[in-house]
Amino acid sequence: MIDRLMGILKLLARIEITIALALMAGALAIWNAESGGGNGIWIVAPLSGLVVNLCAALVSNRTLSAQPALFAFHVGLAGLAIAVAVDALTSFTGHVEVTENSLFDPNMVVGVARPFHNSRLERIRFRQKSFEIKYAPGMSRRDTRSLIEIPEGNSWREIEIGDDTPLVFSPYRLYTSFNKGFAPIVTYVDAQGASYTGAVHLPSYPLNEDRQGNVWIPPGSDEPLTLWLPLEEPLYNVDAEWRFSLPENPSLVVIEQGLRRELRPGESIQLAEGGVLRFESLETWMGYTVTANPYVSLIVATALASLASLLWHISKKLLAPLGAQASSTSRGESGYV
Amino acid sequence: MFEETVLLWIAAGGYVLAALMALAGFKRPALTHIALWILGSALLIHAISIGMRWGRLEHGPYVNLHEILSSNVWSLNAIAFVGATVSALLRRALGSVLGVLQVLTLWLLVTPVTDSALPVTYNTPWLPVHITLGKIFLGLTVIAVGLSIAVLLRRFAKARLQYLPDTDIVEEAAYRLILVAVLFESLMLVAGAAWARDAWGRYWAWDPLETWAFATWMSVIAYIHWRSVRKPRPEHSAIAIIGVFVLAFLTFFGIPFLSAAPHKGAI
Ligand code: HEM
C-alpha cells in the first residue's frame, strides 16, 4: 500500500512534468496577454499542477531531501503557493468616487471581494478636501495630490495622499486614480416640501470630455432628469501646462421630458411633477482605487525565506570546483571561476 | 547635452574596439588584457555621460528607450568587465560575451537621443532596487550566453578557441551563472511586486511586462531542472540558454515599448 502510494507520488513528482508545466505556464501566460486576456484565471491549471508536482517531489524525491538547502527552498516554494492561494481567497479590489467636501461613504465602493474577504470598509474614514492634478504639455498627466482629512481623536487632521502615497486603513489602501471629474450639487425639494441635497457625478474628465452629462432620478420620483455640464471648449490647451480645474462660470443644463433649461449656481426650476430643483454649485469628485491584501505579509515571508535557502544552496554549489561534476573522462580543469 | 552625446559616442567606440580586441584574444590571449583596459576606460567615460544626463534631467536612466539601452549597455559591459577581472575562464571567453553586447551598442547608436520625464509612481525606493536586480540578472545571463556561443563555436572553430577550457567546463560555468541569475531574477520579481503594491496597491496583475517576466522566469526554471536532472549535451544546454536569453531580451527591450499598461517598464 505504502509502496503503491510512493510509486504514484514518484510518478507525479517526475521532473519532466515540472519542465513541461513550467513551459506551459509561460506559454499560456504570453498567449493570454497577446490575445488581450488579462484576468489570470487560465494560468491556475498549470500552476496548480506545478504545486502538486512540487509537493509530490518534496515527499518522494531523494535528491531533494538529501540537500537541506535545496529542500528548504522547495518547501518555501510550496509555502509561497499556499500564501498566494490564501491571498487570492481573501483579497479585495475596487474603486470609489468621493465628492469634494464630503465624507467617504463605504457603500459607494464598487469592487470584487474574494470569497473569504472579511469586509471592514467602514473602517475607512476620511473627508475629501481639494485635489490638484498637474498636466505637462501634451496632456501628459503628472502627479496627483489629494488633500483629505482623517479623524484624529475628536477632531480632523489634514493630510495629503497621491499616486505614490496611499491612504492606509489596514487592510485597505486607497490610491488616487486617473478618474476624477465634476459634480453638480443639486437640491431637490419635493411636492411635500422635503428637501434633499446631493452630488451627481459626471463622467471622468477630460477622458470623457464630450459626455459631461448624467441621468438622475430625484428621490421619490420616477421621472429621470438628464443633467449636462455645457462646455463649449476644452478647459485645457493641449500644448501648455494645465492644472485640473473647474470651468469658470459654470451652468447646468437640465432636460426634463425633452424640455431643456439652463441654470446658474443658486437658480431653481419648477419640475413638471411638482418638485423644485436648485443648482447649488459645481464641485469636483476624486476617484480612488481601493485594495486589500490582508495576508500579503505571508507572501513576502515565504518568498524571502525560500530565496534565502536558494542563496544557501547556490553558494554551496559555487564553492565546488568547476569540473568536479563532469564525467570522469573529461580532463576536468578546475579553478576557473 | 552635446557633451553627453559626444562622450557616449567615444564610449561606444571603446566598446566596439574592446570587443574586437577580445575576439582577437581568442587567438592571442595577451590582447584580452588590452581589451579589458579599453573596456574599463569606455565604462568610465560612459558613466560620466550617464551621470551628466542624470544630473540634468534629475532622474535615472530608465524612462525612454535611449536611456534604457544606454544604462543596460553600461551595466552589461560592467558585469562582463567584473566577471573577466575576477575569473580566468570568463576572461578567456570575453570575446564572445562582448561580441553579443555589440548588438546593443549598435542599437543604442541608432536610437534617437531624446529627453524624458519621470512618470508618476516611479518615485519609490523600490525602483532602483528592482532595476539593479534586473540588470544583474540580465548581465549574468549575457555572460552565460557568451559562454554558450563559445561552446557552439567550438564545433566550427576548435583551433581558434584552444585557450578556452574543456567544453564541459565552459558549459558548467554557464549553468552556474544561470543559477545565480535565477536568484537575482526572483529577487527582481519580489522587488517589482513590492513596488507595484506600493505604487498601485496590487503586487501582481498580469500586465504585459509582468506576464513576460513570469514566462522568462518559468523558462529559466524549466532549463535549470532539465539541465540539472537530465544532464544534456553541452551544445543542447547552450542552445537552451540562448533561448532563455531571447525571451529575457524581449521582456527587457521589447515589451516595455509595445504595451500601454500602466506598468510600462519604460514610458
Ligand atoms: C514545481 C515542482 C518542482 C519540482 C518537482 C522540483 C524538483 C527539483 C529537484 C528534484 C531538484 C534537484 C536537482 C538536482 O540538484 O539534481 C531541483 C532543483 C532545483 N529546483 Fe526545483 N522543483 C520544482 C519547482 C521548482 C521551482 C518552481 C523552482 C523555481 C525557482 C525550482 C528551482 C530549482 C533550483 C534552482 C534547483 C537547483 C538545481 C541545481 O542545483 O542544479 N524548482 N528541483
Side-chain angles (χ1 to χ4, degrees):
Chain A
M1 181 65 194
I2 298 278
D3 281 356
R4 272 196 63 189
L5 194 68
M6 222 38 181
I8 295 174
L9 283 177
K10 282 211 159 109
L11 209 66
L12 287 175
R14 287 188 68 99
I15 206 81
E16 285 78 7
I17 300 184
T18 319
I19 298 168
L21 287 177
L23 291 177
M24 211 164 104
L28 256 176
I30 291 182
W31 175 74
N32 181 67
E34 296 306 307
S35 61
N39 61 28
I41 275 296
W42 33 268
I43 201 92
V44 170
L47 287 184
S48 315
L50 272 178
V51 174
V52 172
N53 173 240
L54 175 62
C55 293
L58 286 175
V59 181
S60 69
N61 187 310
R62 292 271 162 76
T63 323
L64 268 185
S65 46
Q67 304 181 56
L70 192 62
F71 188 72
F73 164 61
H74 286 80
V75 170
L77 278 181
L80 179 63
I82 294 171
V84 170
V86 167
D87 176 70
L89 291 172
T90 54
S91 65
F92 177 86
T93 44
H95 55 91
V96 66
E97 297 172 2
V98 190
T99 320
E100 194 178 342
N101 293 320
S102 65
L103 284 174
F104 163 85
D105 177 356
N107 299 314
M108 300 301 283
V109 178
V110 183
V112 182
R114 294 299 174 84
F116 295 99
H117 178 71
N118 172 15
S119 178
R120 283 160 286 176
L121 282 166
E122 66 290 344
R123 276 191 183 184
I124 307 174
R125 288 190 60 209
F126 72 96
R127 177 181 290 134
Q128 179 67 45
K129 304 299 287 182
S130 59
F131 60 85
E132 183 189 90
I133 305 167
K134 280 192 218 149
Y135 284 81
M139 284 305 278
S140 137
R141 187 167 55 90
R142 307 303 305 160
D143 38 339
T144 300
R145 297 151 183 268
S146 179
L147 270 188
I148 59 167
E149 285 181 338
I150 52 171
E152 193 177 62
N154 290 331
S155 64
W156 295 82
R157 180 164 65 94
E158 194 170 79
I159 59 167
E160 187 183 285
I161 57 174
D163 307 296
D164 303 318
T165 343
L167 171 65
V168 182
F169 278 94
S170 183
Y172 298 98
R173 299 165 79 90
L174 282 84
Y175 293 82
T176 52
S177 74
F178 60 87
N179 273 321
K180 71 275 161 183
F182 305 118
I185 310 289
V186 290
T187 297
Y188 172 70
V189 183
D190 69 15
Q192 284 72 41
S195 164
Y196 309 89
T197 298
V200 180
H201 290 189
L202 302 180
S204 183
Y205 188 92
L207 189 63
N208 299 296
E209 56 185 339
D210 302 332
R211 300 195 292 119
Q212 287 302 302
N214 209 341
V215 173
W216 181 64
I217 304 175
S221 158
D222 48 12
E223 194 59 59
L225 301 175
T226 305
L227 306 183
W228 271 102
L229 181 67
L231 295 173
E232 257 84 70
E233 292 189 343
L235 299 171
Y236 53 84
N237 170 358
V238 178
D239 301 323
E241 279 188 3
W242 181 58
R243 257 163 224 251
F244 181 88
S245 56
L246 285 170
E248 281 171 23
N249 303 321
S251 62
L252 183 68
V253 170
V254 182
I255 303 173
E256 184 196 21
Q257 296 174 341
L259 176 65
R260 181 185 187 283
R261 285 176 287 182
E262 190 161 343
L263 298 177
R264 295 273 159 199
E267 288 179 356
S268 319
I269 47 169
Q270 182 77 42
L271 297 175
E273 38 75 20
V276 171
L277 184 78
R278 187 164 63 237
F279 172 36
E280 303 286 358
S281 60
L282 186 67
E283 304 272 346
T284 56
W285 60 264
M286 182 72 226
Y288 294 92
T289 57
V290 186
T291 63
N293 299 90
Y295 292 97
V296 76
S297 48
L298 214 58
I299 298 183
V300 177
T302 47
L304 291 183
S306 61
L307 287 179
S309 325
L310 183 61
L311 176 65
W312 174 24
H313 173 72
I314 290 176
S315 38
K316 278 200 312 200
K317 231 170 159 137
L318 290 187
L319 288 178
L322 266 177
Q325 292 180 336
S327 68
S328 53
T329 52
S330 94
R331 270 168 285 135
E333 238 177 309
S334 61
Y336 280 101
V337 166
Chain B
M1 183 156 171
F2 177 71
E3 290 87 349
E4 282 163 38
T5 315
V6 170
L7 289 177
L8 181 68
W9 275 83
I10 296 174
Y15 293 141
V16 175
L17 193 62
L20 292 174
M21 282 287 177
L23 281 168
F26 277 138
K27 202 110 177 96
R28 292 179 53 198
L31 291 179
T32 311
H33 282 277
I34 303 179
L36 271 178
W37 275 103
I38 300 174
L39 183 58
S41 319
L43 282 167
L44 209 66
I45 296 170
H46 191 177
I48 297 172
S49 166
I50 290 179
M52 285 167 75
R53 184 182 170 90
W54 195 321
R56 187 168 61 81
L57 298 179
E58 294 176 357
H59 65 77
Y62 33 65
V63 182
N64 66 21
L65 182 60
H66 166 74
E67 290 167 355
I68 292 190
L69 282 173
S70 178
S71 62
N72 275 294
V73 164
W74 188 87
S75 62
L76 297 177
N77 276 295
I79 292 171
F81 178 80
V82 172
T85 310
V86 300
S87 147
L89 187 153
L90 296 184
R91 193 151 55 247
R92 289 183 197 181
L94 188 64
S96 56
V97 177
L98 294 189
V100 176
L101 286 180
Q102 297 325 301
V103 178
L104 279 180
T105 314
L106 288 182
W107 190 7
L108 171 63
L109 292 182
V110 298
T111 302
V113 184
T114 49
D115 285 354
S116 63
L118 197 67
V120 296
T121 75
Y122 270 49
N123 193 8
T124 138
W126 286 109
L127 180 63
V129 177
H130 176 63
I131 289 180
T132 307
L133 291 166
K135 285 193 185 326
I136 297 176
F137 156 65
L138 200 66
L140 295 168
T141 310
V142 166
I143 300 180
V145 166
L147 296 182
S148 300
I149 288 176
V151 164
L152 295 175
L153 283 180
R154 267 269 165 81
R155 303 201 101 197
F156 309 102
K158 201 156 186 123
R160 281 184 179 274
L161 300 174
Q162 58 182 318
Y163 292 103
L164 274 183
D166 237 36
T167 301
D168 283 345
I169 289 184
V170 176
E171 188 274 339
E172 198 186 324
Y175 174 61
R176 287 186 179 189
L177 283 164
I178 293 291
L179 276 183
V180 183
V182 78
L183 179 68
F184 280 97
E185 187 188 19
S186 310
L187 286 168
M188 171 191 78
L189 293 178
V190 171
W195 168 23
R197 180 170 155 81
D198 236 23
W200 305 299
R202 93 290 193 289
Y203 58 86
W204 194 270
W206 297 108
D207 76 20
L209 201 54
E210 287 163 358
T211 302
W212 279 77
F214 169 80
T216 307
W217 192 63
M218 282 285 133
S219 74
V220 180
I221 285 167
Y223 165 70
I224 286 176
H225 286 90
W226 175 63
R227 163 62 176 74
S228 88
V229 179
R230 286 286 158 254
K231 308 269 183 306
R233 292 183 44 190
E235 289 80 8
H236 294 170
S237 170
I239 291 172
I241 288 182
I242 294 171
V244 165
F245 174 68
V246 168
L247 210 50
F249 190 86
L250 286 175
T251 305
F252 271 74
F253 300 109
I255 305 311
F257 301 98
L258 296 179
S259 109
H263 176 196
K264 288 187 172 174
I267 308 166

